[in-house]
Amino acid sequence: MITDLSHTATVTNYALVAVALPLVASLVNFLLPAKAGKVSGWISALAVLASVILAATVFGKVWNAEQIHIRNLWFTIGQTNVYGGLLLNNLSVFMLLLVTVIALPVHIYSTAYIKPAEQNRYFTYLSFFCFSMLALVVVDSLVLVYAFWELVGFSSYLLIGFWFTRDSAVLANKKAFIMNRIGDIGLLSAIIILFAQYHTFDLVELFGQYGLVVKSIVQNGIWLAPTGQMPQVWQYIAFTGIFLAVAAKSAQFPLHTWLPDAMEGPTSVSALIHAATMVAAGVFLLGRVYPLFNIYELNALAIVGCFTAFLAATIALTQNDLKRILAYSTISQLGYMITAMGIDAYASSLFHLATHAFFKCLLFLCAGVIIHEVQHIKDENQLDIDPQNILYMGGLRKKMPLTFIATLVGCLALVGGPLTSGYLSKDGILIQAFEWAENKSWAYKIIPISILVTSCITAFYVARLLFKVFFGEFRLKEILPDMQLHIGDGSWGFRIPLVFLTLCCLFPLFSLHPLLYEHAWLFKGLRPADYMARENIYHTIIPVAINILSVFVAYWAFAVYIQQRKLVFSQTNFLFKLSYHHWYIDTFYQNTVVKAVLLLSNALFWFDRQVIDGVINLLQRASGLLASLTAWTDRYIVDGTLHFLALLVKAIGNFFRGFQGGKVQYYLYSMLALILTLFIIKILI
């Protein structure tokens, strides 16, 4: 017993320190002078390295072992006790390790990518971002989940708008912040409903194996729980709130439009946001509250995820901004994860979250190197070009061989090519999608077919990116033949993270079997206890079909962009315009939602200025007039009457004072006059 307590305390302390170290680094950098430069970068990098070691230790002690849950009384409101603590189970320690392992190469890369003069502020924000995400994945209370959920959003706001002198960056971080507020309102509403029903915020008590949610049922339109009951509609409202939170954080339709604009931040920030922090938080939240959802709600998740994956993939087909292509790719891959959650492929969803973290982080860091070198060409030759536009690139594989190999491996993992980790996780989702729809009506089969089509589209836009950037000749040199290309793979600060992440994109990191996702240790650790592998034809057909189709589509892209045989669509074609303009969703939001909000705001402003302020100003003027009238009345009537009475009394006093001269003869005359007056009055009357 003492040994168990000691083990629990040790693991808990390791986890707490792993979470706290980035916060300490952030505070230290905040206190350092702005000119600290690379010192700030290495403080943050060393803190994350220590967090990786501690997270790996915690992972080794908790993975597939009994979960650790400690809590302490935080505060009391009335009769309600609110606790705060740590929850370390397979999901928690997996995310703890994933976030730190992804954050480490991003930190090292950032020391070379960010200018020294900007590193102090940058690493202050970045370390705080890592702390927020690490805390989010280990806390045990919905209250703390919401608190760190907000901090993740706030720190991403700081990083997206890091270059705040650019108007586009300011607009992008405001857009991300506002759209995530919609999701935050949903999450807060869901938390309030869950507390009203179950009277606790504790995740284990709510969603544990024998938790209150598992014991709840819906009967005759009533949501029945061991702690009370509510109309069933409140359960749907709670789901809607959580869905909004997930859609906002993980950029799912209809709240996905902020993520491409978030590319205005540094590329290293994009790598971390897209890989294992902000956008991963939505999928993680689904994993935390998964027992809450019924079959209809899971179907809704599958539909939205499937549609988002297809939508984003089609948009990526025609984009020319390198980072935006990867951003829409992220939205599409997150759609896969949400779909997997909806089709009850919980383990495959989180497995793809892990593999996606590595290959997407790799691709963004490769994009950063490419943009950095093209920017160098732009500055050296004094060109007026966008260094992120792939139409200006080409032939870079000869000058940047390491970046080319790393990008190639990342793209193969993204497509789901053999021998990559992406092959294992994506094929797992595809196979389970077809198994899920097998005995259902034809409408359900739209989801796996749509995912399959999306995979083919992914292969095309990935091949397009590779061919445009690395093959052929450098396009600007065709215009300026004398242009000098003094570029390469960059310093070791660029190279080491690329090599590390490239190795992590290969299958041995997750499984020694390169073809069967069921053998992956991560899948085994996260799958349900009652999982039963189904060996059927899908396990053979789907991987073969998707790889054959991917090769065919890649060759099609080669024919279009390298051999230049034909265009896929004319640029005047409606489908091309639909894709290029992001399905006009942003335009729709701008012309309807934004204009409606602005119109309402202007109307409220007019009402405030003309009606409310008008009434107040009228009351002010009336009050002033009344005050003036009151002052005049007070001065000339009230005070005048008083002054008149005072003068009258004074006059009477002066009159009678004249009779008091002190001479007896005057008194006798006065008395005689008074007597005569009275006598005359008596006679007259």
Side-chain angles (χ1 to χ4, degrees):
M1 182 65 179
I2 295 176
T3 304
D4 290 342
L5 290 175
S6 176
H7 171 266
T8 300
T10 301
V11 173
T12 301
N13 289 335
Y14 284 170
L16 284 172
V17 175
V19 171
L21 281 173
L23 176 62
V24 173
S26 179
L27 293 174
V28 170
N29 287 334
F30 179 76
L31 296 173
L32 287 175
K35 297 180 180 180
K38 288 186 176 292
V39 174
S40 297
W42 288 113
I43 289 173
S44 292
L46 290 173
V48 171
L49 175 61
S51 291
V52 170
I53 296 170
L54 292 170
T57 304
V58 173
F59 182 86
K61 293 180 179 297
V62 176
W63 184 257
N64 287 338
E66 186 178 353
Q67 74 175 17
I68 296 175
H69 179 210
I70 62 164
R71 64 176 189 170
N72 291 298
L73 181 63
W74 186 10
F75 60 87
T76 301
I77 299 178
Q79 301 298 317
T80 303
N81 294 327
V82 179
Y83 294 87
L86 293 182
L87 173 59
L88 301 177
N89 55 15
N90 277 7
L91 178 59
S92 299
V93 296
F94 148 65
M95 288 297 297
L96 186 70
L97 182 61
L98 180 66
V99 173
T100 53
V101 168
I102 293 296
L104 181 59
V106 171
H107 276 71
I108 296 172
Y109 181 96
S110 297
T111 59
Y113 188 79
I114 301 297
K115 295 178 182 178
E118 298 175 328
Q119 287 196 16
N120 177 259
R121 182 166 59 91
Y122 172 83
F123 281 104
T124 299
Y125 296 165
L126 192 67
S127 293
F128 186 72
F129 190 29
C130 292
F131 157 72
S132 302
M133 187 65 195
L134 290 173
L136 175 66
V137 302
V138 298
V139 293
D140 73 332
S141 165
L142 285 174
V143 175
L144 289 173
V145 165
Y146 185 76
F148 290 109
W149 183 273
E150 288 290 334
L151 288 180
V152 167
F154 171 69
S155 48
S156 67
Y157 167 82
L158 295 175
L159 288 167
I160 293 169
F162 179 75
W163 287 315
F164 55 84
T165 54
R166 302 178 184 176
D167 290 340
S168 56
V170 173
L171 292 173
N173 74 345
K174 285 196 295 186
K175 184 175 182 179
F177 191 79
I178 291 170
M179 294 197 79
N180 273 275
R181 294 293 70 73
I182 298 172
D184 296 344
I185 292 170
L187 179 58
L188 181 60
S189 301
I191 291 173
I192 292 170
I193 292 170
L194 290 171
F195 179 75
Q197 175 73 324
Y198 297 110
H199 312 303
T200 181
F201 296 108
D202 190 276
L203 291 172
V204 175
E205 292 181 2
L206 287 169
F207 307 107
Q209 186 176 359
Y210 305 104
L212 296 170
V213 171
V214 176
K215 297 175 182 177
S216 301
I217 61 171
V218 175
Q219 193 173 54
N220 298 324
I222 303 297
W223 183 19
L224 299 173
T227 52
Q229 64 182 38
M230 301 175 76
Q232 183 183 1
V233 66
W234 290 106
Q235 197 275 340
Y236 287 115
I237 294 174
F239 162 75
T240 303
I242 291 173
F243 168 75
L244 286 174
V246 172
K249 270 291 190 290
S250 292
Q252 296 297 286
F253 178 83
L255 301 178
H256 65 285
T257 57
W258 67 269
L259 190 58
D261 290 352
M263 298 302 95
E264 292 296 333
T267 306
S268 49
V269 169
S270 301
L272 194 58
I273 288 177
H274 286 248
T277 51
M278 186 167 178
V279 297
V283 180
F284 167 78
L285 178 65
L286 284 181
R288 271 287 192 237
V289 304
Y290 197 69
L292 176 66
F293 308 134
N294 59 40
I295 186 65
Y296 305 107
E297 293 161 350
L298 291 175
N299 288 343
L301 286 177
I303 293 169
V304 172
C306 176
F307 176 73
T308 303
F310 176 78
L311 167 77
T314 58
I315 294 174
L317 285 171
T318 58
Q319 302 306 303
N320 296 319
D321 187 300
L322 179 56
K323 289 175 67 176
R324 280 184 175 267
I325 295 171
L326 296 178
Y328 280 108
S329 168
T330 298
I331 297 172
S332 183
Q333 296 303 306
L334 288 165
Y336 277 86
M337 301 172 208
I338 302 300
T339 302
M341 285 289 184
I343 63 174
D344 205 25
Y346 174 91
S348 290
S349 176
L350 295 171
F351 184 20
H352 195 55
L353 172 65
T355 61
H356 175 264
F358 287 106
F359 66 69
K360 189 51 60 68
C361 184
L362 173 63
L363 288 173
F364 266 107
L365 296 189
C366 289
V369 177
I370 294 166
I371 294 167
H372 182 272
E373 296 303 309
V374 176
Q375 179 69 42
H376 178 69
I377 295 172
K378 174 185 175 180
D379 295 340
E380 187 178 31
N381 295 276
Q382 298 181 344
L383 301 174
D384 184 18
I385 62 170
D386 178 5
Q388 297 181 191
N389 193 326
I390 62 174
L391 299 181
Y392 297 126
M393 302 176 190
L396 295 182
R397 74 184 190 282
K398 302 171 186 176
K399 296 286 186 177
M400 307 171 68
L402 176 61
T403 305
F404 167 66
I405 294 171
T407 306
L408 179 62
V409 173
C411 287
L412 286 172
L414 173 58
V415 173
L419 306 183
T420 65
S421 58
Y423 174 90
L424 297 171
S425 60
K426 181 176 280 190
D427 278 8
I429 294 174
L430 284 165
I431 290 168
Q432 290 176 83
F434 277 95
E435 290 177 342
W436 171 79
E438 183 177 4
N439 296 319
K440 295 181 172 66
S441 67
W442 64 269
Y444 288 89
K445 293 177 174 57
I446 294 175
I447 288 177
I449 292 172
S450 176
I451 295 176
L452 189 62
V453 171
T454 301
S455 295
C456 295
I457 297 173
T458 302
F460 189 91
Y461 73 70
V462 165
R464 174 178 178 263
L465 184 151
L466 275 173
F467 295 144
K468 285 281 190 182
V469 174
F470 291 105
F471 289 82
E473 296 297 328
F474 192 70
R475 289 165 183 79
L476 288 176
K477 204 163 186 179
E478 297 174 0
I479 304 172
L480 302 171
D482 298 330
M483 178 186 297
Q484 299 298 316
L485 302 181
H486 300 124
I487 59 174
D489 289 308
S491 65
W492 67 268
F494 290 153
R495 296 172 185 237
I496 290 177
L498 296 189
V499 172
F500 171 75
L501 290 168
T502 300
L503 295 174
C504 291
C505 288
L506 302 176
F507 73 91
L509 180 64
F510 296 98
S511 173
L512 296 178
H513 197 301
L515 301 177
L516 297 181
Y517 70 91
E518 298 96 331
H519 290 199
W521 58 266
L522 183 58
F523 180 83
K524 292 178 181 178
L526 294 172
R527 71 189 183 190
D530 58 351
Y531 173 81
M532 294 180 63
R534 294 182 61 190
E535 298 296 337
N536 53 40
I537 195 170
Y538 294 124
H539 288 257
T540 303
I541 288 181
I542 298 303
V544 173
I546 192 62
N547 280 282
I548 291 175
L549 289 171
S550 295
V551 171
F552 172 76
V553 169
Y555 178 74
W556 184 15
F558 178 80
V560 172
Y561 297 109
I562 300 299
Q563 298 179 339
Q564 298 183 344
R565 293 182 186 175
K566 58 183 178 179
L567 290 174
V568 183
F569 293 112
S570 168
Q571 294 191 8
T572 59
N573 186 288
F574 169 74
L575 293 177
F576 181 90
K577 291 182 177 180
L578 183 68
S579 169
Y580 187 76
H581 294 288
H582 321 131
W583 284 43
Y584 296 100
I585 294 174
D586 260 327
T587 304
F588 172 76
Y589 287 163
Q590 187 68 33
N591 292 335
T592 56
V593 178
V594 174
K595 285 188 175 180
V597 170
L598 290 176
L599 183 63
L600 177 62
S601 299
N602 289 330
L604 292 174
F605 178 73
W606 178 88
F607 185 79
D608 178 62
R609 291 296 298 270
Q610 302 299 324
V611 179
I612 297 177
D613 285 356
V615 171
I616 291 174
N617 292 335
L618 178 62
L619 291 175
Q620 177 195 10
R621 289 192 292 270
S623 299
L625 182 62
L626 180 61
S628 299
L629 180 60
T630 303
W632 184 88
T633 302
D634 180 66
R635 175 172 297 179
Y636 295 104
I637 296 179
V638 178
D639 288 355
T641 301
L642 293 175
H643 291 159
F644 172 75
L645 292 174
L647 291 174
L648 179 62
V649 170
K650 181 179 179 181
I652 294 172
N654 289 335
F655 174 74
F656 285 105
R657 189 183 301 115
F659 298 105
Q660 307 295 324
K663 295 181 179 181
V664 176
Q665 58 270 30
Y666 287 136
Y667 296 158
L668 292 174
Y669 294 152
S670 299
M671 291 176 64
L672 179 61
L674 179 61
I675 292 169
L676 288 174
T677 301
L678 292 174
F679 182 74
I680 293 169
I681 292 172
K682 182 67 175 176
I683 293 172
L684 293 174
I685 295 174

